[in-house]
Amino acid sequence: MSTITNHNGITATTDRSRPIGRLFVYGSLNDDHQFRLITGTNLPSQPATLLNYRRVQPRQGFSFAVPWRGDRIEGKILTGVTSALLDKLDEYESLG
C-alpha cells in the first residue's frame, strides 16, 4: 500500500497490487518469458491488433508506436495490470 497526500492535505491510501486495467503490449513485452523476467509474473492475455499505428525501431532503445494510416501493430492485451506492475515496466523502459 502507498499513502498519497494531495496539495490540499488530503491523504489517501492506495493498494498498488489491486488490478487497475488492461495494457496493450508489443515488442519484447509480447514475449511471455521476457515479460516474466522483467515483472516476475504472468498475466492473462489475448491477441490484439493496434490499427493505424506503425512500430518504429530506433537503432538504440525500445521500439515505439506512431500513428500511421493503414498500418497495424500485432501484440496482445494483458488483463489484471496493477500500478506496481506499471512501475516495474516504467523502470525497465527507462533503462533502454
Side-chain angles (χ1 to χ4, degrees):
M1 290 216 198
S2 297
T3 302
I4 301 169
T5 304
N6 72 11
H7 66 280
N8 292 323
I10 298 172
T11 301
T13 302
T14 60
D15 181 353
R16 299 195 57 76
S17 65
R18 187 173 144 243
I20 59 169
R22 303 181 307 162
L23 178 67
F24 177 79
V25 295
Y26 61 98
S28 63
L29 296 178
N30 197 35
D31 178 87
D32 291 336
H33 179 72
Q34 181 78 10
F35 188 85
R36 188 172 48 255
L37 287 174
I38 295 164
T39 66
T41 191
N42 284 324
L43 293 178
S45 66
Q46 64 186 50
T49 302
L50 184 60
L51 299 175
N52 295 314
Y53 278 82
R54 174 175 279 183
R55 180 179 169 184
V56 176
Q57 180 63 57
R59 291 179 193 218
Q60 294 183 355
F62 294 102
S63 60
F64 56 93
V66 295
W68 200 279
R69 189 175 178 181
D71 216 337
R72 64 179 45 193
I73 300 174
E74 300 297 329
K76 62 185 172 184
I77 295 282
L78 303 174
T79 57
V81 175
T82 65
S83 294
L85 183 121
L86 290 176
D87 290 343
K88 286 181 182 180
L89 294 177
D90 284 345
E91 182 179 339
Y92 167 71
E93 290 190 340
S94 72
L95 299 174

